[in-house]
Amino acid sequence: MSQLYQMYVEELSSVCYRYVPSDDDAKDVLQNSFVKIFTSIQTFDYRGEDSFKAWMKRVVVNEALACLKQRKNLMFVEQDIASQDVADDDEPQPERLSPDELHRLISELPDGYRTVVNLYVFEGYSHRQIAELLSISERTSASQLYHAKRLLAKRINDLTNSKQ
């Protein structure tokens, strides 16, 4: 168990922090995830390291979502962002930011936006899958992603412009 923990703790920690930016909550999610991994590992049908890592990652994502729901942090807010819109010719340039800066900007998104971005962009879930996971409509999932992208684009532009 110790060896397994050491091999994957960093990778799974980064998944936790993408969903749950609070340090204490992320540590709780990680601990609960490893408990579930260790207690359920005998039920996993091993098909190689990639499938094992994907399974562990799903456990962490599910634990993070459960934490957000339990703490009532997972709210899907329709936000009027007209004043924050980014002009089509003013495309953001995320490559001008460090990975840490980009991670910080994503972590500062409202919880609903951040959760949908993580599930859609990083986990590769469809809006249908996200809707089922979060008990929302597909339309809400798509809307959250749209608003998250717009808000993130504005914040990326603000940050890159302030660096000039």
Side-chain angles (χ1 to χ4, degrees), residues 99-115:
D100 287 340
E101 289 171 321
L102 193 54
H103 179 268
R104 181 181 55 79
L105 291 177
I106 293 170
S107 73
E108 292 172 351
L109 290 172
D111 292 325
Y113 290 1
R114 185 183 62 249
T115 301

Side-chain angles (χ1 to χ4, degrees), residues 16-17 20-32 67 71:
C16 286
Y17 282 102
V20 186
S22 159
D23 195 47
D24 289 339
D25 288 344
K27 287 177 182 177
D28 287 346
V29 166
L30 185 64
Q31 179 178 341
N32 291 341
C67 174
R71 299 206 191 314

Side-chain angles (χ1 to χ4, degrees), residues 9-72:
V9 68
E10 284 184 37
E11 187 173 346
L12 297 179
S13 287
S14 69
V15 173
C16 286
Y17 282 102
R18 277 201 331 253
Y19 288 89
V20 186
S22 159
D23 195 47
D24 289 339
D25 288 344
K27 287 177 182 177
D28 287 346
V29 166
L30 185 64
Q31 179 178 341
N32 291 341
S33 297
F34 270 107
V35 168
K36 283 198 175 177
I37 289 167
F38 293 144
T39 58
S40 320
I41 201 165
Q42 71 278 3
T43 65
F44 177 71
D45 183 22
Y46 187 80
R47 296 182 188 159
E49 185 175 357
D50 288 343
S51 70
F52 184 59
K53 284 169 57 173
W55 174 72
M56 287 191 302
K57 199 169 161 183
R58 272 193 312 278
V59 169
V60 173
V61 168
N62 289 335
E63 278 299 306
L65 294 177
C67 174
L68 290 171
K69 287 177 185 177
Q70 178 186 17
R71 299 206 191 314
K72 306 284 189 231

